Amino acid sequence: MSRILIPARTRLVYVESRGWLLGKLGIKVLVIAGVIFVWGPLVAGRPQAMRLVGWLVWAAIALLALGAVVRVAEAVVGAGCMAYVLVHSLARAVASAASAIERGARSSSRVSAQRSATQQKWVKNGHREGSGM
């Protein structure tokens, strides 16, 4: 006895790529650098604020670049996985079709051999070859 399980409900979950998340973080760091650039000198001394802004801008640029590299790498890996699944599925389909054709050929040869044996018995028993009666 087998059980058929029907899933209650399938929910699709949206997951952002790591590259996009790194890029968004880079943009946020860049916004923070802009805020410090504008209001930093009022709160702290000008040299310290400008030094911090410089570091934050470089960090933001690094995050944006890293996010772009990661996004491209994700796309390449995704394309590779998709190609693998496509080739694997195609190979399985071809193997299945070849197996079905082979089974059909074996079955056909078996039927042909049985028909030949039946026809030989039919002729041997005094019936004319090719006649239905």
Side-chain angles (χ1 to χ4, degrees):
M1 181 180 204
S2 64
R3 288 186 180 172
I4 298 174
L5 296 176
I6 301 171
R9 186 174 183 133
T10 303
R11 291 186 341 176
L12 296 176
V13 179
Y14 177 72
V15 178
E16 289 186 343
S17 76
R18 290 161 196 85
W20 178 244
L21 292 174
L22 284 169
K24 283 176 31 177
L25 180 62
I27 290 171
K28 290 175 184 176
V29 170
L30 200 57
V31 168
I32 290 171
V35 167
I36 292 174
F37 179 74
V38 172
W39 286 287
L42 299 175
V43 178
R46 187 162 182 83
Q48 289 84 5
M50 291 303 116
R51 190 175 304 124
L52 179 61
V53 167
W55 281 107
L56 287 174
V57 167
W58 281 113
I61 291 171
L63 284 170
L64 287 170
L66 182 64
V69 168
V70 168
R71 184 66 190 110
V72 169
E74 285 176 341
V76 169
V77 168
C81 289
M82 187 174 62
Y84 169 77
V85 168
L86 178 67
V87 168
H88 184 70
S89 299
L90 186 62
R92 286 180 60 187
V94 167
S96 176
S99 174
I101 290 170
E102 184 180 348
R103 278 194 309 268
R106 270 190 268 138
S107 173
S108 175
S109 67
R110 200 172 31 233
V111 167
S112 177
Q114 288 173 352
R115 175 184 280 168
S116 176
T118 304
Q119 284 176 346
Q120 288 173 0
K121 286 179 187 177
W122 188 262
V123 170
K124 187 177 171 182
N125 290 334
H127 299 284
R128 286 190 312 183
E129 192 172 346
S131 69
M133 289 270 168

